[in-house]
Amino acid sequence: MTRSSSWHRMSNFLRKYRKIPHSSFKTKWNETLKHKHAMEELRSGLVSSPSSSSNVSVVQTLTNSFHIHNCEPTPQAYRFVIKTLAKTSNLESIASVLNHLETSEKFETPEPIFKDVIFAYGFSGKVEEAINVFFRIPKFRCAPSAYTLNALLSVLVRNRESLVMVPEVLVKASGMGVRLEESTFEILVDALCRIGEVDCASELVNYMSDESYIVDPSLYSKLLSSVCKHKDSSCFDVIGYVEELRKMRFSPGLRDYTAVMRFLVQGGRGKEVVSVLNQMKCDRIEPDIVCYTIILQGVIADEDYSKADKLFDELLLLGLTPDVYTYNVYINGLCKQNDIDGAIKMMSCMEKLGSEANVVTYNILIKALVKAGDMSRGKTLWEEMEMNGVDRNSHTYDIMVGGFIEVDEVGYAQGLLEEAFSRNLVVKRSRTEEVICRLCDKGLMDEAVELLPHLV
């Protein structure tokens, strides 16, 4: 009977080493078990009092936990130690652990360990230490990549003081062979947009496109949003800027168009808002009620009331349901045309359609009535607010007090002021002074003196 080759191999091993060979599976399982017990020992030693341990004892705790079980510390053990020390801001001990890792270990140190250390230093305000750790990475038998560079950049871009260090860090990182990835540029673009350096952010995105990096569409949206936040809305050519982004294969979405519309309305450029709406329709993007509300606000500010009527009819035909903000804008437009009756009818219609009038609605109508000198109907709406459970705000009181002063009913004005003060509402100092002066003119000195404490 022929013996198998495995039997011959075992026989040779026995003759040479005088012992039975161990199964590789059993050996690996035994090592895993020893590392598990060592980690439990380390966890109990560190978690109990990591912040009170000295630098030496932290390293000793780490090494002893593994030597007790006849095995060597693993990268996972080092990462656990650093994470534990970072939670208690024990940065001195982190430095000692790093030194031991550099000089006493032979394994290739995984990059996630350095990310943890960089965050621990960076978020504790130790920016220089975080930078030094990044440039020391090769000493730990590890090649730095965009992974750790991004961690360092995330720390540096948190404020303007450390942001100025970014160019130098990028140059040195490039010299170490670190290749910038799309995620690296995203961190930089986000930081530049946040501080208002939109032009620099745009140049960076252009560079990405020219160098064949894959540009995330959200970067274009971020650029556009930053432009609308930081540029001068009265003169900046935001429509032209969108066209430039289109050349880089950017397809604006509903949110992007909404931001552009709001930007134009803030700059008093209502006519341009209509062209943006038309472009949306060409791109087959359905405008929502927020878009129409913004556009209505723009054309009404430009006093193009016929266009406002067409837009309001259009949104209804599209099946959109106006909300209270849309109604308030449209009612304000009617009041600007002195069509107060039409505005009041519109408020009745909105309530029938399930949209309750709010304090802004009433303020618009009361202001229009006061301006027209119709204090009687103004009082009616004032009382209606209370009946409908709508709380009056400081602006409501200011409108009515001003109206009573105009018709020389200073007693009513004084009563409303005192009511506003009793409700702890903030009243314009100039309005209080005006009422006090009118009371003095009428010889009502006692009433005027009662209001004086509210000027202090």
Side-chain angles (χ1 to χ4, degrees):
M1 184 175 178
T2 306
R3 294 181 183 275
S4 66
S5 59
S6 61
W7 170 260
H8 286 297
R9 285 197 299 269
M10 191 171 78
S11 298
N12 291 334
F13 189 92
L14 280 169
R15 285 195 296 272
K16 185 175 182 180
Y17 297 104
R18 305 296 179 184
K19 62 181 179 179
I20 302 294
H22 291 291
S23 165
S24 60
F25 172 77
K26 289 183 178 179
T27 303
K28 184 177 180 181
W29 176 82
N30 188 39
E31 286 295 318
T32 303
L33 186 62
K34 287 194 291 185
H35 283 140
K36 180 181 177 182
H37 290 317
M39 283 298 297
E40 290 174 356
E41 185 88 19
L42 175 63
R43 190 175 286 108
S44 62
L46 272 183
V47 175
S48 58
S49 57
S51 59
S52 61
S53 301
S54 66
N55 293 349
V56 177
S57 65
V58 170
V59 175
Q60 283 182 345
T61 302
L62 170 62
T63 55
N64 291 343
S65 299
F66 281 82
H67 290 164
I68 289 172
H69 297 279
N70 196 26
C71 57
E72 296 297 325
T74 62
Q76 293 77 13
Y78 276 96
R79 191 175 187 193
F80 171 75
V81 169
I82 288 171
K83 279 180 171 290
T84 304
L85 294 173
K87 288 178 182 178
T88 57
S89 299
N90 195 346
L91 303 182
E92 291 183 5
S93 293
I94 289 179
S96 72
V97 172
L98 279 181
N99 290 334
H100 183 79
L101 176 59
E102 178 185 350
T103 57
S104 302
E105 300 295 350
K106 302 300 180 185
F107 57 76
E108 294 182 3
T109 309
E111 271 196 288
I113 289 180
F114 301 108
K115 179 182 176 181
D116 295 336
V117 175
I118 288 170
F119 281 164
Y121 280 126
F123 296 144
S124 299
K126 305 288 186 180
V127 176
E128 291 290 346
E129 287 81 351
I131 294 173
N132 291 336
V133 167
F134 174 77
F135 290 117
R136 282 176 59 195
I137 289 178
K139 296 181 179 180
F140 292 84
R141 305 157 300 282
C142 175
S145 70
Y147 179 80
T148 42
L149 176 60
N150 289 352
L152 179 59
L153 291 177
S154 298
V155 167
L156 296 179
V157 300
R158 295 176 71 222
N159 55 65
R160 283 182 177 270
E161 290 74 19
S162 56
L163 187 60
V164 297
M165 304 178 187
V166 168
E168 184 180 354
V169 168
L170 291 176
V171 171
K172 289 184 178 180
S174 178
M176 295 168 63
V178 179
R179 183 185 179 277
L180 304 186
E181 295 181 355
E182 285 84 355
S183 54
T184 313
F185 287 103
E186 288 173 11
I187 293 171
L188 298 175
V189 170
D190 182 67
L192 291 169
C193 287
R194 191 174 65 251
I195 64 174
E197 295 291 342
V198 187
D199 295 334
C200 294
S202 298
E203 289 179 15
L204 205 53
V205 173
N206 287 334
Y207 173 81
M208 290 179 67
S209 181
D210 293 341
E211 295 297 318
S212 301
Y213 284 95
I214 299 173
V215 182
D216 191 319
S218 65
L219 272 188
Y220 294 119
S221 294
K222 194 167 291 183
L223 279 177
L224 185 57
S225 175
S226 185
V227 161
C228 294
K229 182 178 179 180
H230 296 287
K231 291 292 185 181
D232 186 351
S233 59
S234 64
C235 59
F236 181 76
D237 184 14
V238 68
I239 296 177
Y241 186 80
V242 172
E243 291 306 313
E244 289 297 319
L245 293 181
R246 281 178 182 277
K247 293 177 183 177
M248 293 186 280
R249 301 180 181 179
F250 170 56
S251 299
L254 178 61
R255 242 177 119 181
D256 302 309
Y257 276 116
T258 303
V260 171
M261 289 177 178
R262 189 171 281 114
F263 178 79
L264 292 170
V265 170
Q266 288 173 353
R269 299 152 68 182
K271 293 179 181 178
E272 294 179 63
V273 179
V274 178
S275 68
V276 175
L277 174 65
N278 294 333
Q279 184 61 55
M280 281 185 73
K281 294 174 181 177
C282 291
D283 291 345
R284 297 184 178 181
I285 297 175
E286 295 182 4
D288 59 7
I289 194 62
V290 175
C291 288
Y292 273 102
T293 302
I294 294 170
I295 299 166
L296 279 172
Q297 190 177 352
V299 296
I300 287 172
D302 280 357
E303 299 183 354
D304 191 350
Y305 302 118
S306 61
K307 186 66 179 177
D309 292 335
K310 290 178 182 178
L311 287 168
F312 195 79
D313 292 339
E314 182 180 306
L315 71 89
L316 293 174
L317 288 171
L318 289 173
L320 295 174
T321 303
D323 56 23
V324 65
Y325 304 102
T326 313
Y327 280 116
N328 285 346
V329 170
Y330 191 65
I331 287 171
N332 183 52
L334 293 172
C335 289
K336 288 179 72 174
Q337 299 174 71
N338 296 320
D339 185 7
I340 300 175
D341 291 333
I344 293 175
K345 287 179 183 177
M346 182 58 68
M347 184 176 72
S348 300
C349 290
M350 66 181 279
E351 290 174 342
K352 289 177 183 177
L353 293 172
S355 185
E356 295 292 331
N358 61 13
V359 64
V360 177
T361 317
Y362 280 101
N363 286 350
I364 293 168
L365 291 170
I366 292 173
K367 184 177 180 179
L369 289 169
V370 168
K371 185 179 178 181
D374 194 345
M375 290 301 297
S376 175
R377 293 172 74 186
K379 288 179 184 178
T380 302
L381 284 179
W382 173 272
E383 293 166 358
E384 187 180 308
M385 288 180 74
E386 186 173 359
M387 288 188 293
N388 291 337
V390 180
D391 285 335
R392 305 170 185 125
N393 60 15
S394 299
H395 189 46
T396 320
Y397 280 94
D398 185 69
I399 293 168
M400 287 298 287
V401 169
F404 282 125
I405 290 174
E406 285 295 320
V407 296
D408 202 28
E409 294 186 19
V410 70
Y412 281 111
Q414 179 204 354
L416 288 180
L417 269 185
E418 291 176 348
E419 183 180 325
F421 291 136
S422 68
R423 294 183 56 196
N424 295 320
L425 294 175
V426 178
V427 180
K428 292 179 183 177
R429 182 184 178 88
S430 58
R431 187 66 78 190
T432 306
E433 290 174 348
E434 191 175 3
V435 172
I436 291 173
C437 289
R438 291 299 183 94
L439 289 170
C440 292
D441 291 341
K442 290 183 173 293
L444 302 172
M445 304 303 295
D446 292 340
E447 289 81 354
V449 169
E450 289 179 4
L451 293 177
L452 287 176
H454 298 292
L455 291 176
V456 179

